[in-house]
Amino acid sequence: MKRNWLILLLLLICLAPLTMQAQNKFFRFAQITDIHFAPGNPNPTEDLLRTVAQINATDSIDFVLVTGDLTDNGDRLCMERVKSCLDLLKAPYHVVLGNHETKWSESGCTAFADIYGGERFEFMHKGFLFLGFNSGPLMRMAYGHVVPQDIRWMIAEMEKAGKDTPVILVTHYPMLDGDVDNWYDVTDAVRPYNVRLFIGGHYHRNRQLSYDGLPGILMRSNLRDADGKPGYGIYEVGPDSIRVFTQRIGEPKQQWAAISLTHSYYDHQGRAEKYPDYSVNQAYPQVKATWTVQTGVGIYCSPATDGERVFVADDLGCLTAYNLKKGKRLWSFTAERRIVGTPAVAEGVVVFGSADKRVYGVNATDGKLLWTLDASAPVLGAAAIADGAAYIGASDHTFRAIDLKSGKLLWAYTDVQGYIETRPLLADGKVIFGAWDNTLYALDRQTGRECWKWTHGLSGMHYSPAAVWPVEADDKVFIADPKRALTAIDLRTGKTVWRTFQSQVRESVGLSEDGQRVYAKTMNDSIVCYAAQGGEARQLWATNAGFGYEHAPSMLPEKDGIVYASTNDGLVCALDGKTGRIIWQHKVGNSLINTVVPLEGQRVLVSSTDGTVTLLQAKK
């Protein structure tokens, strides 16, 4: 008997390390996603607080992942209120942005980093590397997008951890065609590493997906479901699998997926299952790139040019000048935060705003700083220059006129209710712009005195005429808002002349050089043209350009009788302004093309969110 006890004791001693190892391998974490906190609606707050309380009452939750759409409007106050709820968690938590934090952001997405400590996260837990990053889109209505600098960061972190280290990647969007425009860049970049799982939200329902073979999980929204129950996710990581559960408040958790940690789901040497189709470029071989620069940084604004140089601002706060003929880099000036508003240049001065709460004037020749003007919030508006003055709007509810040479404030209009991102229209002695408060403003250019305000009477900031760049002809201002109406407004009085839903346009307009025609882009395939003259909406032509679903706010400028349109998936279209006949199309990439800048001789300056800057040339 004594011998049996001795054998048993020896066996327990031998098995103890293995038991401890198995216990150390196991861990559990929670996921909260799509909270959609909104002022005036107590339900999302109540749902989140109930979720926090139940997570706190659950044994062995090591940490919590919060995967975006914390708020409806992306504003600082709402994000701070969400944080005050998340701070009640006993376990540490890690947060990534959702599209509601990136598209509608009066801070240019800088408030998120201020509040939560950064736009991405990295940590190791029991041998697993967790990487969370933004999947966009930033400040523009478009598909999701992972910027080049975040892809480089992921690769560097996985290299540092070692290729055998299991990795879990955390985003808001799923890495799928139709959700993220450069999904293939992401899956190709991470494929050589030991990626075990992508975790996200966005769909508001449970989905088990494959991203070019890499396993993906989307979790239901935290918002209460049809039965009035909030919910969240629980992940149990063991030695050979990750089990995925939905946890409704007050109910037992329900497993609905499992991911193997021993099975190889994808070929580490393979490639994405499909790539974007560039065959349109073969159909129009007369279009070539004179030069192309891959900046490696996201770009959310159009280029500006003085005829000799091209000025491009980017996500890292750099304004870079290139030689117009050859694309050679000339100089770079760096602000402290990202730049999302298109710069303007005149009289040797480049003017732009930054999310660092400043307006800058720099020397166009050498990039030397000439002056700065401080605002009290990020400056996200595009600049316009005329008669020695620069005009620009900011997120401190203020629109400013600035002396171009000295940077001295000429006047400030402080009665804007929302934040400003548009480029103002300068016409008839007025400066006209929209803001994210449902309002179009007209101010006296010399004094800043309010001339009129226009609103279509709809509640909710998402219907604001704020992303469109207004144009003017025949004593009318033309806009297209997110309500999908092309609208003509009396330039003198601010009264609606006509408003049509015929073409389902959104946030994109343009004007012919002779002021006779207004152009707009619809949300599905078509570019349309309306008469600028007269008191009623009159469509002149509509052309099916075949670009599919489209919601990017890129304007339609005309040069030498050719109107140019660009899309959220990298396509540039050139059409005859009078007839709508397609002259050529060219696909630059698969990401959002900002409003293009046409030059003489069918040359077009192009920038895109994937960091591409190029000069296209169409030969006759």
Side-chain angles (χ1 to χ4, degrees), residues 25-39:
K25 268 286 189 187
F26 178 85
F27 64 94
R28 181 186 290 124
F29 64 91
Q31 179 192 3
I32 306 173
T33 192
D34 296 276
I35 298 164
H36 287 282
F37 177 94

Side-chain angles (χ1 to χ4, degrees), residues 541-555:
W541 53 258
T543 297
N544 185 341
F547 47 69
Y549 179 69
E550 169 63 24
H551 53 356
S554 51
M555 308 308 123

Side-chain angles (χ1 to χ4, degrees), residues 372-386:
T372 61
L373 186 143
D374 290 340
S376 58
V379 184
L380 309 179
I385 299 174

Side-chain angles (χ1 to χ4, degrees), residues 241-485:
S241 68
I242 303 174
R243 295 195 296 161
V244 185
F245 302 81
T246 293
Q247 177 70 73
R248 297 173 81 200
I249 300 300
E251 297 182 0
K253 65 181 187 290
Q254 297 291 326
Q255 181 177 336
W256 60 272
I259 308 297
S260 173
L261 292 176
T262 58
H263 174 70
S264 180
Y265 286 95
Y266 61 95
D267 179 2
H268 290 261
Q269 307 301 319
R271 302 182 69 208
E273 294 167 2
K274 73 170 193 174
Y275 292 92
D277 180 7
Y278 288 86
S279 59
V280 67
N281 295 350
Q282 299 172 12
Y284 299 97
Q286 71 269 34
V287 185
K288 301 291 184 184
T290 301
W291 54 260
T292 299
V293 176
Q294 298 294 348
T295 67
V297 181
I299 299 172
Y300 305 106
C301 50
S302 298
T305 182
D306 61 2
E308 296 181 16
R309 291 165 287 261
V310 180
F311 306 97
V312 179
D314 67 33
D315 191 34
L316 295 182
C318 292
L319 177 76
T320 304
Y322 300 92
N323 176 271
L324 177 58
K325 284 187 177 181
K326 298 185 178 180
K328 179 183 177 182
R329 181 183 177 278
L330 301 174
W331 53 257
S332 187
F333 174 89
T334 304
E336 294 181 12
R337 292 284 186 102
R338 62 170 48 102
I339 303 166
V340 298
T342 296
V345 57
E347 302 178 37
V349 182
V350 187
V351 178
F352 65 95
S354 167
D356 67 9
K357 306 180 184 179
R358 294 187 183 95
V359 183
Y360 291 86
V362 301
N363 188 300
T365 302
D366 58 15
K368 297 291 178 61
L369 178 66
L370 298 174
W371 52 260
T372 61
L373 186 143
D374 290 340
S376 58
V379 184
L380 309 179
I385 299 174
D387 302 324
Y391 302 88
I392 193 166
S395 295
D396 55 1
H397 312 294
T398 301
F399 191 91
R400 294 172 171 86
I402 304 166
D403 182 81
L404 181 61
K405 293 296 185 181
S406 68
K408 178 183 177 183
L409 180 67
L410 299 176
W411 54 256
Y413 175 81
T414 58
D415 289 337
V416 182
Q417 299 303 305
Y419 69 93
I420 304 164
E421 70 169 78
T422 184
R423 184 173 76 180
L425 165 68
L426 307 178
D428 189 40
K430 299 179 179 68
V431 54
I432 299 166
F433 61 93
W436 285 104
D437 56 12
N438 295 319
T439 304
L440 190 75
Y441 296 83
L443 310 179
D444 183 278
R445 268 179 57 188
Q446 297 300 317
T447 65
R449 177 184 59 84
E450 182 182 300
C451 299
W452 50 258
K453 292 192 293 188
W454 176 92
T455 179
H456 45 51
L458 292 171
S459 61
M461 65 168 282
H462 296 162
Y463 292 122
S464 303
V468 64
W469 296 358
V471 296
E472 178 271 333
D474 192 39
D475 294 325
K476 294 187 288 291
V477 179
F478 299 92
I479 61 170
D481 57 52
K483 188 61 177 174
R484 306 174 190 180

